[in-house]
Amino acid sequence: MGPPGSGKGTQAVRIASRYAVPHISTGDALRAAVKAGTLIGREVKAIMDAGGLVGDSVITALVRERLAEPAAANGCILDGFPRTAAQAATLDTMIDRARLVVLHLAAADEEIVRRLSTRRVCDACAITQSVSHGADPERGACPYCGGNLVRRPDDHPDTVRRRLQTYAEVAAPLLAFYADRPAFATFDGLQALDRVTADLCAHIDRWAQPSGA
Ligand code: AMP
């Protein structure tokens, strides 16, 4: 967990690959639903574009489904979930709470606004990357596949500020929910990417229980 732009998604992909477990990102799943125009996608689009939070019941149903898949039997990386204390309480009913390792990435608001103003996503290969300051948010070619580099609608600076406000409102009770668990730890999301990954993995190696333990 951590504010938008703290590096959660990037680190989650790295860690999932390192431990060979699925990466379950609620934000990615919702964006895919919006893109595909499903019923849920049509319901959540306006909320996401405005930087608000999608209802707990929609999110927990989505996560419950993914956790039940055989691929997640040996563990998974949850990215962007839980985001509220209510979601955290529901997660405790879905899995053995003693097996949960909670990683919190912290980052200052000004640095986040700066980072997200240069974040782009390729509309073909979906790789997230950073462009130079002042780059046109609607133009640019993906260096990997030549697709269009676009700014996520919710990365518009006004929406980022709204997302940070939303995060600030729900983060305190969520952090309090996990604060006294030994497998909970906070990391500085603004360190170099490899340093953050190394710190997160050291914590996981210390606390994650192998399946069947
Ligand atoms: P993310 O990619 O994690 O920043 O999520 C993008 C957007 O999806 C958020 O701004 C929310 O609108 C929505 N979202 C993702 N995960 C959740 C969640 N656990 N609870 C509520 N809304 C969520």
Side-chain angles (χ1 to χ4, degrees):
M1 53 197 264
S6 58
K8 296 193 299 295
T10 305
Q11 296 295 339
V13 168
R14 289 174 154 222
I15 294 172
S17 146
R18 154 103 182 243
Y19 294 94
V21 293
H23 167 216
I24 302 177
S25 156
T26 44
D28 283 353
L30 293 171
R31 276 185 290 278
V34 169
K35 198 168 177 190
T38 65
L39 186 63
I40 287 184
R42 292 199 298 276
E43 268 174 35
V44 303
K45 184 176 185 320
I47 299 172
M48 290 178 74
D49 285 352
L53 283 185
V54 172
D56 286 342
S57 59
V58 170
I59 296 289
T60 49
L62 191 155
V63 172
R64 195 183 296 279
E65 214 172 88
R66 296 293 304 274
L67 287 177
E69 288 175 4
N74 292 327
C76 65
I77 304 295
L78 287 171
D79 165 12
F81 177 93
R83 243 189 179 83
T84 63
Q87 291 177 11
T90 306
L91 180 61
D92 275 350
T93 69
M94 296 186 204
I95 57 164
D96 175 2
R97 57 176 271 180
R99 303 193 57 188
L100 194 61
V101 177
V102 185
L103 308 162
H104 168 224
L105 285 181
D109 283 9
E110 320 82 74
E111 178 59 17
I112 288 170
V113 174
R114 199 189 65 77
R115 269 191 183 186
L116 294 190
S117 68
T118 59
R119 177 162 82 172
R120 301 289 185 274
V121 181
C122 173
D123 70 358
C125 70
I127 288 180
T128 296
Q129 45 209 288
S130 185
V131 295
S132 52
H133 263 289
D136 187 332
E138 310 308 330
R139 271 171 217 269
C142 173
Y144 301 101
C145 76
N148 296 318
L149 281 189
V150 292
R151 177 153 72 189
R152 273 171 46 175
D154 58 355
D155 278 349
H156 188 280
D158 290 344
T159 313
V160 169
R161 277 184 263 278
R162 168 83 187 108
R163 289 166 68 199
L164 287 170
Q165 194 187 331
T166 304
Y167 180 80
E169 284 159 15
V170 293
L174 183 58
L175 292 170
F177 186 90
Y178 287 124
D180 61 353
R181 298 199 189 180
F184 167 82
T186 295
F187 302 85
D188 177 1
L190 299 182
Q191 296 180 104
L193 213 55
D194 289 345
R195 176 78 258 156
V196 179
T197 309
D199 289 354
L200 296 173
C201 289
H203 184 77
I204 293 171
D205 290 341
R206 172 151 191 234
W207 290 102
Q209 298 172 21
S211 61

